[in-house]
Amino acid sequence: MCRLSWKLLGCLMVLLCWHSTSPGMQYGFQVGKSYHYEVKVNTTSELKAGDVRESMPSERIASVTLSVLAQARGVFVLDVTSGEQRWRRYVRTNGAVVLGSCEPGWEIPLFLGLPEGVPVVGAVSKSEFSVPLERGATAARWELSCQNLDKAKNRAGFILQGVVDLPSDQSIKRSLTVKGSLQWDFQQNCWESGEWTLVYGLGLANKEFAVIRPMWSYQETRKVSFKSVSDAVEGQQ
């Protein structure tokens, strides 16, 4: 169950990265510099079966460094490191991923696609995708809305909401949703911080003639947050 949750969560975050946009907000990473972030993941999973209820909380904190190796034809070449793990990403200035990436999206939530045009308070950017599964495909929808603009501090706040339509029937119920907020830094031209909550649910019921009896249910809640811990630093890759 946990494995399925992580896989679908990764799909959702990668979809956010693939959202292409028109000119307006654009990533402005500087070649030769590194950007440092702190990422926290708080997980609470709960299993219910009749009168039995078991909860399993956990927390993980990681440091992520984004090193800008090059830029050519509007594409950034980025190295992302966290501990002993390392990934290479090719990202356009509008957030579109040029080459398919194999790393889990939840691990480095720093490249969300940007809304179209210049941000306007109250404006909502909506997207819908088809997510391939092992058998068939399912729909994923998300929206990014501008909540506030602070011209004095060169910041903009956004609200993020998303849902994946997981396969369900009368016996098996599945769900995956995400809600959160993001802060854009116009001076650095990248996301400064963000936090969101992802909730994955799985329930199994037994159908006896016209009666459906719940047998057990599992819910996993992941609160993911990241923030910039320093300004861009030259020569650290």
Side-chain angles (χ1 to χ4, degrees), residues 4 15 45 53 55 74 89 103 118 142 161 196 198 225:
L4 176 62
L15 285 175
S45 55
R53 176 180 298 183
S55 182
R89 276 210 166 188
E103 75 276 3
V118 177
W142 71 280
Q161 295 187 73
W196 50 77
L198 298 110
S225 66

Side-chain angles (χ1 to χ4, degrees), residues 14-15 28 40 47 58 86 107 115 133 151 207:
V14 169
L15 285 175
K40 293 183 180 181
L47 179 64
S58 66
R86 187 170 185 170
E107 191 75 42
L133 300 176
K151 295 183 179 179
K207 184 178 180 181

